Amino acid sequence: MMTIGILTIIVFGMSAFVTDGAKCLNSKDVERFVVVNCAYQEFLSVPSTDILKDVETLNLEHNYISKLFNNSFTEYPNIKNLMLSFNKVHTIEPGALGSLAELETLDLSQNAIKEVPAGLPKSLIQLKLNGNPVLDMWQLETAVGLRVLQLRGCDLKAYPALGIMPNLVNLDVSENAEIYDLDPAQLAVTCRLARLNVTGATNLFRPGTPGAHCRCRRVVQWAHTYKVTVFGLGQCPDPLAGDGETDIHDDPKDEACARTPEQALAAFKECMAEWEHRNTPYWAIVSGIVIVVARVGQMIV
Ligand SMILES: *[C@@H]1O[C@H](CO)[C@@H](O)[C@H](O)[C@H]1NC(C)=O
Ligand SMILES: *[C@@H]1O[C@H](CO)[C@@H](O)[C@H](O)[C@H]1NC(C)=O
C-alpha cells in the first residue's frame, strides 16, 4: 500500500510538469539541473517546441532523428549533456554542435555516423560513439579537452588513428573484432591514457601471426611503464616455431623484441609537451614573468 501511495505521488508529481499536447517531460533533477526528457517520442528532428530553453540535460534517445542541422540546438545554448543514442543520425552539419559552448557529454551511440562530427566544442569531456560505423577520427582535433572516448562495436578495421590527445584518460575500443595490431607509438599519442579496453578484439596479436609475439610484448611493456591498464588483452602469443620473423625487432631472442621504439618515445614527448602547453594556467605564466621581471629589477638596482 505504502509503495502504491508513493508511486501515485511520483506519477502525479511528474505529470504536473507536462503541458497540454507536449511530448517532452520537463523537470529539475536533484542537483537542480534543468532536465528535458524527449525519449521514445518518434521525433524525426530535434523539436523546437516542448523544450525548456534553459535545458541542461536533453534526452532525445530512441527517436528517428536522422540529421542535426547547424541550427538544431541554437535555441538551447546551455546544454551540458546531450543524449541522442538509438536514432538514425547519419548527417551532422559542421555548425550543429559548435554552438554548444557548455557541452560536456555527448552520446551518439547506435546511429549511422561514419565520421567523428566536425566542430566538437572544446568543453566536451565525454564522447560516446558506440555502435556507429565510424572510420574517420581526425575531427577529434577540436575536442581538446576530451577525456573519455567510447568506440565500442564500431567495426573498426584498425586501432583508431587519434593524433595527439593529451587529455584522454579512458578509451574503449572493445568489441571491434578486426583490430589486429597495436604498437606503442599508437598509445604514445595519448600520453595520459590510464584505461584502455580491447575486450573482444579477438584478432589482436593472433597466435601464428609473424611478429605478434614481440609486438605484444612491446605493448605490455609500454602499458606497464606508463601505467595504462589494458582490459581484455590476455596473454601474448608464443613466438612462431623457427621464428620466421622479419627483423631483429621481431626476433624473440633479440633484446629489441620488447624494447620501446624511438618513434613511440618521440610521440610521447610531443604529447606531454602539448599537455603542459594546454594545461599551464595563465596565472602561472604571468607570475613567472613577474618573478623574472622582479629579479632583473633587483639586479639593476
Ligand atoms: C549553417 O547552414 C547554412 C545553410 O546550410 C549555411 O549557410 C551556414 O553557413 C551554416 N553555418 C555554419 C556555422 O556552418
Ligand atoms: C570492456 O568492454 C567490455 C565489452 O564492451 C565490457 O563488457 C567491459 O565491462 C569493459 N571493461 C571495463 C573495465 O570497462
Side-chain angles (χ1 to χ4, degrees):
M1 276 317 280
M2 188 66 183
T3 327
I4 292 169
I6 289 169
L7 275 179
T8 316
I9 291 168
I10 290 172
V11 169
F12 273 92
M14 283 176 93
S15 59
F17 291 101
V18 187
T19 50
D20 249 0
K23 290 173 163 182
C24 299
L25 206 59
N26 295 333
S27 64
K28 285 203 159 84
D29 72 8
V30 276
E31 289 170 52
R32 302 201 152 261
F33 282 129
V34 182
V35 179
V36 175
N37 186 351
C38 308
Y40 295 96
Q41 296 303 330
E42 302 181 359
F43 282 119
L44 300 175
S45 60
V46 176
S48 60
T49 53
D50 299 354
I51 300 182
L52 293 176
K53 299 299 173 207
D54 53 353
V55 57
E56 289 167 304
T57 291
L58 178 55
N59 182 351
L60 286 162
E61 289 173 354
H62 294 274
N63 283 290
Y64 298 98
I65 299 167
S66 59
K67 284 188 179 182
L68 301 180
F69 297 100
N70 64 16
N71 63 359
S72 288
F73 301 105
T74 38
E75 289 174 84
Y76 319 116
N78 297 334
I79 296 177
K80 285 188 169 58
N81 182 8
L82 179 57
M83 299 143 88
L84 274 160
S85 61
F86 296 95
N87 275 276
K88 308 274 176 213
V89 180
H90 55 74
T91 303
I92 300 177
E93 288 192 351
L97 301 163
S99 57
L100 298 175
E102 308 283 320
L103 188 65
E104 290 179 0
T105 304
L106 174 60
D107 188 353
L108 284 164
S109 300
Q110 312 298 333
N111 280 283
I113 297 165
K114 291 204 181 74
E115 55 184 31
V116 169
L120 291 173
K122 57 176 189 272
S123 54
L124 195 66
I125 293 172
Q126 203 175 125
L127 176 61
K128 301 180 186 177
L129 288 169
N130 303 321
N132 285 283
V134 229
L135 287 172
D136 236 332
M137 302 289 156
W138 69 272
Q139 318 240 50
L140 283 172
E141 67 188 11
T142 60
V144 291
L146 198 68
R147 292 168 59 86
V148 179
L149 176 60
Q150 294 185 0
L151 296 167
R152 191 187 313 142
C154 287
D155 285 331
L156 299 178
K157 306 286 179 256
Y159 187 83
L162 295 179
I164 302 275
M165 293 192 70
N167 285 319
L168 197 72
V169 287
N170 201 328
L171 175 61
D172 186 349
V173 291
S174 66
E175 306 305 337
N176 286 284
E178 289 183 60
I179 296 178
Y180 61 95
D181 205 2
L182 180 57
D183 186 87
Q186 288 169 299
L187 295 176
V189 291
T190 50
C191 49
R192 297 180 66 253
L193 192 67
R195 295 158 70 88
L196 171 67
N197 194 343
V198 295
T199 304
T202 44
N203 280 309
L204 187 57
F205 304 128
R206 198 173 45 190
T209 316
H213 168 80
C214 290
R215 288 201 302 279
C216 180
R217 275 176 62 189
R218 288 197 286 272
V219 163
V220 170
Q221 181 65 42
W222 179 275
H224 179 75
T225 308
Y226 295 99
K227 300 190 172 57
V228 186
T229 306
V230 185
F231 299 95
L233 184 56
Q235 291 274 321
C236 283
D238 292 333
L240 283 185
D243 298 339
E245 313 295 11
T246 46
D247 63 36
I248 54 161
H249 289 93
D250 291 344
D251 178 355
K253 292 186 207 76
D254 195 282
E255 199 198 325
C257 176
R259 196 196 300 142
T260 300
E262 292 299 320
Q263 192 198 355
L265 294 174
F268 184 82
K269 262 177 100 171
E270 194 185 334
C271 175
M272 285 306 283
E274 181 62 24
W275 185 72
E276 273 166 36
H277 171 70
R278 284 186 196 173
N279 296 287
T280 306
Y282 180 67
W283 58 262
I285 298 171
V286 171
S287 59
I289 293 169
V290 169
I291 290 168
V292 169
V293 169
R295 289 261 168 85
V296 171
Q298 276 177 352
M299 273 152 65
I300 291 169
V301 171

